[in-house]
Every structure is written in structure tokens, then in C-alpha cells.
Amino acid sequence: MGSMHIETPGTLADGSKDFDEDGRARRTGTWVTASAHIITAVIGSGVLSLAWAIAQMGWVAGPAVLFAFSFITYFTSTLLADCYRSPDPVHGKRNYTYSEVVKANLGGRKFQLCGLAQYINLVGVTIGYTITASISMVAVKRSNCFHKHGHGEKCYINNYPFMIVFACIQIVLSQIPNFHKLSWLSIVAAVMSFAYSSIGLGLSLAKVAGGGHVQTSLTGVQVGVDVSGIEKVWRMFQAIGDIAFAYAFSNVLIEIQDTLKSSPPENKMMKRASLIGIMTTTLFYVLCGCLGYAAFGNDAPGNFLTGFGFYEPFWLIDFANICIAVHLVGAYQVFVQPIFGFVEKWSKEKWPESQFINGEHDVTVPLCGSINLNFFRMLWRTTYVVITAVLAMLFPFFNDFLGLIGSLSFWPLTVYFPIEMYIKQSKMPRFSFTWTWLKILSWVCLVISIISAVGSIQGLVVDLKKYKPFQAQQ
């Protein structure tokens, strides 16, 4: 499949300080920038829905599932980090994308399946982020409306203008050539994620400290009181899926690792970044989920900042939702860059003589200096952003598809391929102890993916029945 980076340097002097040994622009990333990319990719606005997920499973199963998936994600990410170079993890040939890693280690049909799963997931995420960002922007106006007219007011506001604003911002940012130029955006986005997560934590803590009776239990929502027996099952399936996919960043791990400088070894830095990123996100996940559940109990809303678990102080709710929108601006770029890189590399190989596709033009931009402009890159990336925005407008419930898309990609991308490549790379004997428990882990995660997919489909069916076209989304 495609490569993330698309520069084609000309004739280079040996040992040029501007390029790495593979002829590409010298990588300058560190474990700090990689950690920022991971936090940006992992902590989405979904962190604020974890209170709902914990409410479905209760005080015992909820935190246990959170910790289980944090361990699984970290463990498989360390296996994947060793596959960036092959056959040797330190001195081998670089593989620039996840699909190239699979091709180098497993080859054949598995490479094609990996590419299909990865790019379907990435496209789905970018559409979902367009919807989610617009919901956060709408929440700012609704918060002000509730503050002015009272909590009983309907305050319906159309999402579409905010989707257009988000798309316009992404059209501009999408002209940034690749991940090398995105470190600043990921750092800003990571700071935003800390900000709104901290606000959610603070508000939950204040609500808990303020007293007031809410119903919580060891097993979550109660059958016969809050939900029926079958609803309890469906909700638990969806909650497991929400938690499992909240951690997934494997589909962009290799692209993030490809930003790291070669000394210290990339796999060592990536493992450190993965540990820091996942520990940080797990801490926030547990705090947000558990404190949110303690604050709202079994009636926890799907998202207590945009679903208005909180109304006051309205200015703080506004600020938190602005932080969510800014964070998703950066997260969109983290997930869309592999798509851009794949299409642009394929186009350059298909039409190597085309000046439209391959020509670079220096353009001076006020305050930004000289930038390289490629007409194909500008047209293709703008078209992609417009298409994702239109799909988000046509299917505003598309966010629910993400659970299904995530369930279809979680097992292959986060678990199956990293384990299979590790087994192949280490030449592990079949039916050995390590081989056996790795296979068991893979099968268990497959079952979980299937269960969450079923839950997502059921939730989608329910949302489709409720959907009313052209009505403002709440």
C-alpha cells in the first residue's frame, strides 16, 4: 500500500544533513512528539462518554475492562513497534506504513486485507470526527441558549454550518505535506484533550462533593429498574466496544514511528512513547469514567459535556467544548495523513511524467514564508475533505457507524497482525507456550470484536428508527 511521506528529493550528496539514509527528509521526531501524536489519536471526545460505559457495567466490570484493554493495546503496540524495520528491528529496512509492515512480514493476501481494514477505518474516523466536532460547536450555542432561556428550553441548533466551518479549517490544514510538519498541531491538540478532560473531571468531582443522591451499583444499570434484560445485554456490548476502540491507535502507529529520528533506535523510542501515551490516557479514562459515574449514576448521559449532564457554569462548558473541537481539528489530521500519503504515492507511481501530479511550486505566503505548492495535492486533499463533510451532513448518525467500523478493524489492526508478525519475526515454534497464549489472546479479542459489532448494529438500527432528516441535531 502507500507511504505516508511523499517527498521525492533529487540527487543528494552522500551524508547530506537534510536527508536520512533512505533519501527522505531527515526525521526529527522524539518520544515527546510521538507521545503527543498518540495522545491526540487516542483521547478523543469519546473520553467523556466513558461515564455512560461504566454505568452499563458497574464498578467492578467497568474499570476492569478499561485496564484490560489498556494492557492489550500497549502489549500489541510494542510488538508492532519492532516491525517498523525488517527483518532486524534496529538496523533493518524501514517500512513507512502499517500496510507496508504487513507486506514485509506476512505478504500476500494478508497485506491486502490489512490495507482494506486500515483505510476503511481511517475514512470512517475522519467522517465521524467531522460530526463530533460539529456537535461540540453546537453545544457551545446550546449552552448559551440554556443559560439565557432556562434548562427547559428546546434550543435546537443545526449542525450543518458548523460542519462547513470544520471542513474549511481542514482544507487549509490538509495542505501541510505530511506528519513531519504536524508535531505542533498534535501538541496543541494533546493540550486541548487534557483541558476538556480536566474540566469534565473537575465538574464531576464538584458534583460528587456537592452531595445529592445518585444510584450506582457493582453491576451498573439495573434490570427491571433502568432497563430491560435485553437492553442491558445490548448496552453492555456497546460499552465494551466503546472502551475497546477508545484505545485503538495501531492504524497510525507506524506512521507516527516514521517521524522519529534514528538515534536512539525508533522501536525503543516508540515503545517509550506508547507506554507514556497509554498510561496517560488510561489515567484520564479511569478518572473520567469513574468520577462521571459517581456524579451521574445509572443515568449518566452519553457525553456529559455535549449531552448536558452539566449546564453551569456555562462559560466553562463553552470552553470545554471549544477545546474538544480544537482537539478534533488536530486528530482529524493525524488520521487523514495516511490516506493522503497513500493516494499521492500511488498517483506518482502511476503517472511519473505528469507535471500536474509531481510538480512542486514555491509560493510565498505572508507570515508563513515560502511553501511548496502541488496542484494535485491541493485538489485531491480539498476534494477529500469536502466529500467527508458532505457524508457527515447526509448521515449525521454516522458516528454510530464508527462503532461498527471500529469493531471490524480493532481485531485485525490492534491484535491479529501485530501478533502474527511477532510470531513470524521471532520464528516461534507452533504450539509452544508463548505461541499458544498469543493465539488465545487473539481469539478472545476476535470474539469481543464480534460482540461489539453486534451491539453497534443494534444501536444503529435503533438510531435509524429515531432519525428524522433535516431536523437539527442535538
Side-chain angles (χ1 to χ4, degrees), residues 393-460:
M393 292 177 186
L394 291 175
F395 306 103
F397 50 82
F398 196 91
N399 223 24
D400 299 301
F401 275 115
L402 288 186
L404 179 59
I405 293 171
S407 64
L408 296 176
S409 61
F410 167 74
W411 175 70
L413 296 177
T414 302
V415 181
Y416 175 74
F417 285 123
I419 286 177
E420 290 299 309
M421 289 189 289
Y422 175 74
I423 289 173
K424 181 79 175 289
Q425 194 179 57
S426 62
K427 299 178 181 177
M428 190 180 298
R430 287 173 63 87
F431 304 111
S432 64
F433 174 76
T434 305
W435 184 93
T436 302
W437 76 259
L438 284 175
K439 288 289 187 178
I440 290 173
L441 174 63
S442 182
W443 279 103
V444 168
C445 290
L446 173 59
V447 171
I448 290 171
S449 280
I450 293 172
I451 285 173
S452 60
V454 171
S456 297
I457 291 171
Q458 191 273 342
L460 184 59

Coordinates of all heavy atoms in Angstrom, one line a residue, residues 393-460:
M393 N -22.9 15.4 6.6 CA -24.2 16.1 6.6 C -25.4 15.1 6.2 O -26.5 15.2 6.7 CB -24.1 17.2 5.6 CG -23.2 18.4 6.0 SD -23.2 19.6 4.7 CE -21.9 20.7 5.4
L394 N -25.1 14.2 5.2 CA -26.1 13.3 4.8 C -26.5 12.3 5.8 O -27.6 11.9 5.9 CB -25.7 12.6 3.5 CG -25.5 13.5 2.2 CD1 -25.0 12.7 1.1 CD2 -26.9 14.1 1.8
F395 N -25.5 11.9 6.6 CA -25.7 10.8 7.6 C -25.2 11.3 8.9 O -24.1 10.9 9.4 CB -25.0 9.5 7.2 CG -25.3 9.1 5.8 CD1 -24.5 9.2 4.8 CD2 -26.5 8.4 5.6 CE1 -24.8 8.8 3.5 CE2 -26.9 8.0 4.3 CZ -26.0 8.2 3.3
P396 N -26.0 12.2 9.6 CA -25.5 12.7 10.9 C -25.4 11.7 12.0 O -24.8 12.0 13.0 CB -26.5 13.9 11.2 CG -27.7 13.5 10.4 CD -27.2 12.8 9.2
F397 N -26.0 10.5 11.8 CA -25.9 9.5 12.7 C -24.6 8.6 12.4 O -24.5 7.5 13.0 CB -27.1 8.6 12.8 CG -27.6 8.2 11.4 CD1 -27.0 7.1 10.8 CD2 -28.5 8.8 10.7 CE1 -27.4 6.6 9.5 CE2 -28.9 8.4 9.5 CZ -28.4 7.4 8.9
F398 N -23.8 9.0 11.5 CA -22.7 8.2 11.0 C -21.7 7.9 12.2 O -21.0 6.9 12.1 CB -21.9 9.0 9.9 CG -21.0 8.0 9.2 CD1 -21.4 7.4 8.0 CD2 -19.7 7.8 9.6 CE1 -20.6 6.5 7.3 CE2 -18.8 7.0 8.9 CZ -19.3 6.4 7.8
N399 N -21.8 8.7 13.2 CA -20.9 8.4 14.4 C -21.2 7.0 14.9 O -20.3 6.4 15.4 CB -21.2 9.5 15.5 CG -20.0 10.0 16.2 OD1 -18.9 9.9 15.6 ND2 -20.1 10.4 17.4
D400 N -22.4 6.6 14.8 CA -22.8 5.2 15.2 C -22.1 4.2 14.3 O -21.9 3.0 14.8 CB -24.3 5.0 15.3 CG -24.9 6.0 16.2 OD1 -24.6 6.0 17.4 OD2 -25.8 6.8 15.8
F401 N -21.9 4.5 13.1 CA -21.2 3.6 12.2 C -19.7 3.3 12.7 O -19.2 2.3 12.4 CB -21.1 4.1 10.8 CG -22.3 3.8 10.0 CD1 -23.1 4.8 9.5 CD2 -22.7 2.5 9.6 CE1 -24.3 4.6 8.8 CE2 -23.8 2.3 8.9 CZ -24.6 3.3 8.4
L402 N -19.2 4.3 13.4 CA -17.8 4.2 13.8 C -17.6 3.0 14.8 O -16.6 2.3 14.7 CB -17.3 5.5 14.5 CG -17.1 6.7 13.6 CD1 -16.5 7.8 14.4 CD2 -16.2 6.3 12.5
G403 N -18.6 2.7 15.6 CA -18.5 1.6 16.5 C -18.4 0.3 15.6 O -17.6 -0.6 15.9
L404 N -19.2 0.2 14.5 CA -19.2 -0.9 13.7 C -17.9 -1.0 12.9 O -17.2 -2.1 12.8 CB -20.4 -0.9 12.7 CG -20.5 -2.0 11.7 CD1 -20.6 -3.4 12.4 CD2 -21.6 -1.8 10.7
I405 N -17.4 0.1 12.3 CA -16.2 0.2 11.6 C -15.0 -0.2 12.6 O -14.1 -0.9 12.2 CB -15.9 1.6 11.0 CG1 -17.0 1.8 9.9 CG2 -14.5 1.7 10.4 CD1 -17.0 3.2 9.3
G406 N -15.1 0.4 13.8 CA -14.0 0.1 14.8 C -14.0 -1.4 15.1 O -12.9 -2.0 15.3
S407 N -15.2 -2.0 15.3 CA -15.2 -3.4 15.7 C -14.7 -4.3 14.6 O -14.1 -5.3 14.9 CB -16.7 -3.8 16.0 OG -17.5 -3.7 14.9
L408 N -14.9 -3.9 13.3 CA -14.3 -4.6 12.2 C -12.8 -4.5 12.1 O -12.2 -5.3 11.5 CB -15.0 -4.2 10.9 CG -16.5 -4.5 10.8 CD1 -17.1 -4.0 9.5 CD2 -16.8 -6.0 10.9
S409 N -12.3 -3.4 12.6 CA -10.8 -3.1 12.4 C -10.0 -3.3 13.7 O -8.8 -3.5 13.6 CB -10.6 -1.7 11.9 OG -11.1 -0.7 12.8
F410 N -10.7 -3.3 14.8 CA -9.9 -3.5 16.1 C -9.1 -4.8 16.1 O -7.9 -4.8 16.4 CB -10.9 -3.4 17.3 CG -10.3 -3.9 18.6 CD1 -9.3 -3.1 19.2 CD2 -10.6 -5.1 19.1 CE1 -8.8 -3.5 20.4 CE2 -10.0 -5.5 20.3 CZ -9.1 -4.7 21.0
W411 N -9.8 -5.9 15.9 CA -9.1 -7.2 16.0 C -8.0 -7.3 15.0 O -6.9 -7.6 15.4 CB -10.1 -8.3 15.8 CG -9.5 -9.7 15.8 CD1 -8.8 -10.3 16.9 CD2 -9.3 -10.5 14.7 NE1 -8.3 -11.5 16.5 CE2 -8.6 -11.7 15.1 CE3 -9.7 -10.5 13.4 CZ2 -8.3 -12.7 14.3 CZ3 -9.4 -11.5 12.5 CH2 -8.7 -12.6 13.0
P412 N -8.2 -7.1 13.7 CA -7.1 -7.3 12.8 C -5.9 -6.3 13.0 O -4.8 -6.7 13.0 CB -7.7 -7.1 11.4 CG -9.0 -6.3 11.6 CD -9.5 -6.7 13.0
L413 N -6.3 -5.0 13.2 CA -5.2 -4.0 13.3 C -4.5 -3.9 14.6 O -3.3 -3.7 14.7 CB -5.8 -2.6 12.9 CG -6.3 -2.5 11.5 CD1 -6.9 -1.1 11.2 CD2 -5.2 -2.8 10.4
T414 N -5.3 -4.0 15.7 CA -4.7 -3.9 17.0 C -4.1 -5.2 17.6 O -3.2 -5.2 18.3 CB -5.7 -3.3 18.0 OG1 -6.2 -2.0 17.5 CG2 -5.1 -3.1 19.4
V415 N -4.7 -6.3 17.2 CA -4.3 -7.6 17.8 C -3.7 -8.6 16.8 O -2.6 -9.0 17.0 CB -5.5 -8.2 18.5 CG1 -5.2 -9.5 19.2 CG2 -6.1 -7.2 19.6
Y416 N -4.5 -9.0 15.8 CA -4.1 -10.1 14.9 C -2.8 -9.9 14.2 O -1.9 -10.7 14.3 CB -5.2 -10.4 13.9 CG -4.9 -11.4 12.9 CD1 -4.9 -12.8 13.3 CD2 -4.6 -11.1 11.6 CE1 -4.5 -13.8 12.4 CE2 -4.2 -12.1 10.7 CZ -4.2 -13.4 11.1 OH -3.9 -14.4 10.2
F417 N -2.7 -8.8 13.4 CA -1.5 -8.6 12.6 C -0.2 -8.4 13.5 O 0.8 -9.0 13.2 CB -1.7 -7.4 11.7 CG -2.5 -7.7 10.5 CD1 -3.7 -7.0 10.2 CD2 -2.2 -8.8 9.7 CE1 -4.5 -7.3 9.1 CE2 -3.0 -9.1 8.6 CZ -4.2 -8.3 8.3
P418 N -0.3 -7.6 14.6 CA 0.9 -7.5 15.4 C 1.4 -8.8 16.0 O 2.6 -9.1 16.0 CB 0.5 -6.5 16.6 CG -0.5 -5.7 15.9 CD -1.3 -6.6 15.0
I419 N 0.4 -9.6 16.4 CA 0.8 -11.0 17.0 C 1.3 -11.9 15.9 O 2.4 -12.5 16.1 CB -0.4 -11.6 17.7 CG1 -0.7 -10.9 19.0 CG2 -0.2 -13.1 17.9 CD1 -2.0 -11.4 19.7
E420 N 0.7 -11.9 14.8 CA 1.2 -12.8 13.7 C 2.6 -12.4 13.2 O 3.4 -13.2 12.9 CB 0.2 -12.8 12.5 CG -1.2 -13.4 12.8 CD -1.0 -14.9 13.1 OE1 -0.3 -15.6 12.3 OE2 -1.5 -15.4 14.2
M421 N 2.8 -11.1 13.1 CA 4.1 -10.6 12.7 C 5.2 -10.9 13.7 O 6.3 -11.3 13.3 CB 4.1 -9.1 12.3 CG 3.3 -8.8 11.1 SD 3.4 -7.1 10.5 CE 2.5 -6.3 11.8
Y422 N 4.9 -10.8 15.0 CA 5.8 -11.1 16.0 C 6.2 -12.6 16.0 O 7.3 -13.0 16.1 CB 5.2 -10.8 17.4 CG 6.1 -11.2 18.5 CD1 7.3 -10.5 18.8 CD2 5.8 -12.3 19.3 CE1 8.1 -10.9 19.9 CE2 6.6 -12.7 20.4 CZ 7.7 -12.0 20.7 OH 8.5 -12.3 21.7
I423 N 5.1 -13.5 15.8 CA 5.4 -14.9 15.7 C 6.3 -15.2 14.5 O 7.2 -16.0 14.6 CB 4.0 -15.7 15.6 CG1 3.3 -15.6 16.9 CG2 4.2 -17.1 15.2 CD1 1.9 -16.2 16.9
K424 N 6.0 -14.6 13.4 CA 6.8 -14.8 12.2 C 8.2 -14.3 12.3 O 9.2 -15.0 12.0 CB 6.1 -14.1 11.0 CG 6.8 -14.3 9.6 CD 6.5 -15.7 9.0 CE 7.1 -15.8 7.7 NZ 6.4 -14.9 6.7
Q425 N 8.3 -13.1 12.9 CA 9.7 -12.5 13.0 C 10.6 -13.2 14.0 O 11.8 -13.4 13.8 CB 9.5 -11.0 13.5 CG 10.7 -10.1 13.4 CD 10.4 -8.7 13.9 OE1 10.0 -8.5 15.0 NE2 10.6 -7.7 13.0
S426 N 10.0 -13.7 15.1 CA 10.8 -14.5 16.1 C 10.9 -15.9 15.8 O 11.6 -16.7 16.5 CB 10.1 -14.3 17.5 OG 8.8 -14.8 17.5
K427 N 10.3 -16.4 14.7 CA 10.3 -17.8 14.3 C 9.9 -18.7 15.4 O 10.6 -19.7 15.8 CB 11.7 -18.2 13.8 CG 12.2 -17.4 12.6 CD 13.6 -17.7 12.1 CE 14.0 -16.9 10.9 NZ 15.4 -17.1 10.5
M428 N 8.8 -18.4 16.0 CA 8.3 -19.1 17.2 C 7.7 -20.4 16.8 O 7.0 -20.6 15.9 CB 7.2 -18.2 17.9 CG 6.7 -18.7 19.2 SD 5.4 -17.6 19.8 CE 6.4 -16.0 19.9
P429 N 8.1 -21.5 17.6 CA 7.6 -22.8 17.3 C 6.1 -22.9 17.5 O 5.6 -22.4 18.5 CB 8.3 -23.7 18.3 CG 9.5 -22.9 18.7 CD 9.1 -21.5 18.7
R430 N 5.4 -23.6 16.6 CA 3.9 -23.8 16.8 C 3.7 -24.6 18.0 O 4.4 -25.5 18.4 CB 3.4 -24.5 15.6 CG 3.3 -23.7 14.3 CD 2.9 -24.5 13.1 NE 1.5 -25.1 13.3 CZ 0.4 -24.5 12.9 NH1 0.5 -23.2 12.4 NH2 -0.8 -25.1 13.1
F431 N 2.6 -24.3 18.7 CA 2.1 -24.9 19.9 C 3.1 -24.8 21.1 O 2.9 -25.5 22.1 CB 1.9 -26.4 19.7 CG 0.9 -26.6 18.5 CD1 1.3 -27.2 17.3 CD2 -0.5 -26.2 18.7 CE1 0.4 -27.3 16.3 CE2 -1.4 -26.4 17.7 CZ -0.9 -26.9 16.4
S432 N 4.1 -23.9 21.0 CA 4.9 -23.6 22.2 C 4.0 -22.8 23.2 O 2.9 -22.4 22.8 CB 6.1 -22.8 21.8 OG 5.7 -21.5 21.3
F433 N 4.5 -22.6 24.4 CA 3.7 -22.0 25.4 C 3.3 -20.5 25.0 O 2.2 -20.1 25.0 CB 4.4 -21.9 26.8 CG 3.7 -21.1 27.8 CD1 2.6 -21.6 28.5 CD2 4.2 -19.8 28.1 CE1 1.9 -20.9 29.4 CE2 3.5 -19.1 29.1 CZ 2.4 -19.6 29.7
T434 N 4.3 -19.8 24.5 CA 4.1 -18.4 24.1 C 3.2 -18.3 22.9 O 2.3 -17.5 22.8 CB 5.4 -17.7 23.8 OG1 6.3 -17.8 24.9 CG2 5.2 -16.2 23.5
W435 N 3.4 -19.2 21.9 CA 2.6 -19.3 20.7 C 1.1 -19.5 21.1 O 0.2 -18.9 20.6 CB 3.1 -20.4 19.8 CG 2.4 -20.5 18.5 CD1 2.7 -19.9 17.3 CD2 1.2 -21.3 18.2 NE1 1.8 -20.3 16.3 CE2 0.9 -21.1 16.9 CE3 0.4 -22.1 19.0 CZ2 -0.2 -21.7 16.3 CZ3 -0.7 -22.7 18.4 CH2 -1.0 -22.5 17.1
T436 N 0.9 -20.4 22.1 CA -0.4 -20.8 22.5 C -1.2 -19.7 23.1 O -2.3 -19.4 22.8 CB -0.4 -22.0 23.4 OG1 0.3 -23.1 22.8 CG2 -1.8 -22.4 23.8
W437 N -0.5 -19.0 24.1 CA -1.3 -17.9 24.8 C -1.5 -16.7 23.9 O -2.5 -16.0 24.0 CB -0.7 -17.6 26.1 CG 0.6 -16.8 26.2 CD1 1.9 -17.2 26.4 CD2 0.7 -15.3 26.1 NE1 2.7 -16.2 26.4 CE2 2.0 -15.0 26.2 CE3 -0.2 -14.3 25.9 CZ2 2.5 -13.7 26.1 CZ3 0.2 -13.0 25.9 CH2 1.6 -12.7 26.0
L438 N -0.5 -16.5 22.9 CA -0.7 -15.4 22.0 C -2.0 -15.6 21.1 O -2.7 -14.8 20.8 CB 0.5 -15.2 21.1 CG 1.7 -14.4 21.8 CD1 2.9 -14.4 20.9 CD2 1.3 -13.0 22.2
K439 N -2.1 -16.9 20.7 CA -3.2 -17.3 19.9 C -4.5 -17.2 20.6 O -5.6 -16.7 20.1 CB -3.0 -18.7 19.3 CG -2.0 -18.8 18.3 CD -2.4 -18.2 16.9 CE -1.5 -18.5 15.8 NZ -1.9 -18.0 14.5
I440 N -4.5 -17.6 21.9 CA -5.7 -17.5 22.8 C -6.1 -16.0 22.9 O -7.3 -15.6 22.8 CB -5.4 -18.1 24.1 CG1 -5.3 -19.6 24.0 CG2 -6.6 -17.7 25.1 CD1 -4.9 -20.3 25.3
L441 N -5.1 -15.1 23.1 CA -5.4 -13.7 23.2 C -6.1 -13.2 21.9 O -7.0 -12.4 22.0 CB -4.1 -12.9 23.5 CG -4.2 -11.4 23.5 CD1 -5.1 -10.9 24.6 CD2 -2.8 -10.7 23.6
S442 N -5.5 -13.6 20.8 CA -6.1 -13.1 19.5 C -7.5 -13.6 19.3 O -8.4 -12.8 18.9 CB -5.2 -13.7 18.4 OG -5.7 -13.2 17.1
W443 N -7.8 -14.9 19.7 CA -9.2 -15.4 19.5 C -10.1 -14.7 20.5 O -11.3 -14.4 20.1 CB -9.2 -16.9 19.8 CG -8.7 -17.7 18.5 CD1 -7.5 -18.2 18.3 CD2 -9.5 -17.9 17.4 NE1 -7.5 -18.8 17.1 CE2 -8.7 -18.6 16.5 CE3 -10.8 -17.6 17.0 CZ2 -9.2 -19.0 15.2 CZ3 -11.3 -17.9 15.7 CH2 -10.4 -18.7 14.8
V444 N -9.7 -14.4 21.7 CA -10.6 -13.8 22.7 C -10.9 -12.4 22.2 O -12.1 -11.9 22.2 CB -9.9 -13.6 24.1 CG1 -10.6 -12.7 25.0 CG2 -9.8 -15.0 24.7
C445 N -10.0 -11.7 21.6 CA -10.2 -10.3 21.1 C -11.1 -10.4 19.8 O -11.9 -9.4 19.6 CB -8.9 -9.6 20.8 SG -8.0 -9.2 22.2
L446 N -11.0 -11.5 19.1 CA -11.9 -11.6 17.9 C -13.4 -11.7 18.4 O -14.3 -11.1 17.8 CB -11.5 -12.9 17.1 CG -12.5 -13.3 16.0 CD1 -12.6 -12.1 15.0 CD2 -12.0 -14.5 15.3
V447 N -13.6 -12.5 19.4 CA -14.9 -12.7 20.0 C -15.5 -11.4 20.5 O -16.6 -11.0 20.3 CB -14.9 -13.8 21.1 CG1 -16.3 -13.8 21.9 CG2 -14.6 -15.1 20.6
I448 N -14.6 -10.6 21.2 CA -15.0 -9.3 21.7 C -15.4 -8.4 20.5 O -16.4 -7.6 20.6 CB -13.9 -8.7 22.5 CG1 -13.7 -9.5 23.8 CG2 -14.2 -7.2 22.8 CD1 -12.5 -9.1 24.6
S449 N -14.6 -8.4 19.4 CA -14.9 -7.6 18.3 C -16.3 -7.9 17.7 O -17.1 -7.1 17.3 CB -13.8 -7.7 17.2 OG -12.7 -7.0 17.5
I450 N -16.6 -9.2 17.6 CA -17.8 -9.7 17.0 C -19.0 -9.2 17.9 O -20.0 -8.7 17.5 CB -17.8 -11.2 16.9 CG1 -16.8 -11.6 15.8 CG2 -19.2 -11.7 16.5 CD1 -16.6 -13.1 15.7
I451 N -18.8 -9.4 19.3 CA -19.8 -9.0 20.2 C -20.1 -7.5 20.1 O -21.3 -7.0 20.0 CB -19.4 -9.3 21.7 CG1 -19.5 -10.8 21.9 CG2 -20.2 -8.6 22.7 CD1 -19.0 -11.3 23.2
S452 N -19.1 -6.7 20.0 CA -19.3 -5.2 20.0 C -19.9 -4.8 18.6 O -20.6 -3.9 18.5 CB -17.9 -4.5 20.2 OG -17.0 -4.9 19.3
A453 N -19.5 -5.6 17.6 CA -20.1 -5.3 16.2 C -21.6 -5.5 16.3 O -22.4 -4.7 15.8 CB -19.5 -6.2 15.2
V454 N -22.0 -6.6 16.9 CA -23.5 -6.9 17.1 C -24.2 -5.8 17.8 O -25.2 -5.3 17.5 CB -23.7 -8.3 17.8 CG1 -25.2 -8.5 18.1 CG2 -23.2 -9.4 16.9
G455 N -23.5 -5.3 18.9 CA -24.1 -4.3 19.7 C -24.2 -3.0 18.9 O -25.2 -2.2 19.0
S456 N -23.2 -2.7 18.1 CA -23.2 -1.5 17.3 C -24.3 -1.5 16.2 O -24.9 -0.5 16.0 CB -21.8 -1.3 16.6 OG -20.8 -1.1 17.5
I457 N -24.5 -2.7 15.6 CA -25.5 -2.8 14.6 C -26.9 -2.6 15.3 O -27.8 -1.9 14.7 CB -25.5 -4.2 14.0 CG1 -24.2 -4.3 13.1 CG2 -26.7 -4.5 13.1 CD1 -23.9 -5.7 12.6
Q458 N -27.1 -3.2 16.5 CA -28.4 -3.0 17.1 C -28.6 -1.5 17.5 O -29.7 -1.0 17.3 CB -28.4 -3.8 18.4 CG -29.8 -3.9 19.1 CD -30.0 -2.8 20.1 OE1 -29.1 -2.1 20.5 NE2 -31.3 -2.6 20.4
G459 N -27.5 -0.8 18.0 CA -27.6 0.6 18.3 C -27.9 1.4 17.0 O -28.7 2.4 17.1
L460 N -27.3 1.0 15.9 CA -27.5 1.7 14.7 C -29.0 1.6 14.2 O -29.6 2.6 13.7 CB -26.6 1.2 13.6 CG -26.6 1.9 12.2 CD1 -26.2 3.3 12.4 CD2 -25.6 1.2 11.3

